[in-house]
Amino acid sequence: GLYKVMTSLEQEVGGLLRQKGLTLGVVESATGGLISHLITNAPGSSDYYKGSVTAYSNETKIKVVGVNRDTIEKYGAVSHQVAEEMAQGGRKILAADICLADTGIAGPSGATPEKPLGLFYIGLSHRGGTYSRKHNFRGNREQNKRSAAEAALGWLKEYLISL
């Protein structure tokens, strides 16, 4: 087959983290560990990668990551508020310089009129601030997970370049 000429996104991100001397942590919900899996595919990722928490249930988001129960009750688990609290909480518990987080509706069920299938929020927290981005993916469950993981890594790459 064709050789990958371009370095993968996870290798680019790894190179940037190494260059900037920053560590990374991840808190995943809807991606189920895929972001972590991709990051650790890059050789030498132990230099900058602290680890991850796959916080699938609300209880895990609250008890392990430190998301506020009120935030989930008020806005729902799939919200920019929760994505931001996941990223912030993860940065603390994983003792990382930067933390990525995601929450979403991968499908095929779980959608509501307000929150359609494929809706994801990605969070990013760094000492400079905590941010979120909203995405609407249109694939099947597995495609949506992959799209969200790639969107998270793509945003991290952009953020690191901007530092």
Side-chain angles (χ1 to χ4, degrees), residues 20 33 37 39 45 49-50 54 56 61 119-120 142 147:
K20 310 269 178 185
H37 168 66
I39 290 163
S45 48
Y49 184 53
K50 288 290 192 86
T54 302
Y56 213 60
K61 288 179 182 77
L119 171 68
F120 276 75
E142 211 165 320
S147 297

Side-chain angles (χ1 to χ4, degrees), residues 89-157:
R91 193 160 69 91
K92 276 195 205 102
I93 62 167
L94 296 166
D97 295 316
I98 298 181
C99 186
L100 279 179
D102 76 87
T103 178
I105 303 161
S109 58
T112 67
E114 302 79 49
K115 296 188 180 180
L117 203 64
L119 171 68
F120 276 75
Y121 290 94
I122 296 166
L124 188 158
S125 184
H126 179 230
R127 64 170 178 267
T130 299
Y131 316 95
S132 60
R133 281 188 181 179
K134 179 183 178 176
H135 291 271
N136 283 288
F137 301 118
R138 302 252 177 270
N140 64 27
R141 183 178 177 86
E142 211 165 320
Q143 287 164 337
N144 289 343
K145 287 172 71 176
R146 181 156 286 277
S147 297
E150 284 171 7
L153 290 172
W155 182 18
L156 175 59
K157 177 187 162 179

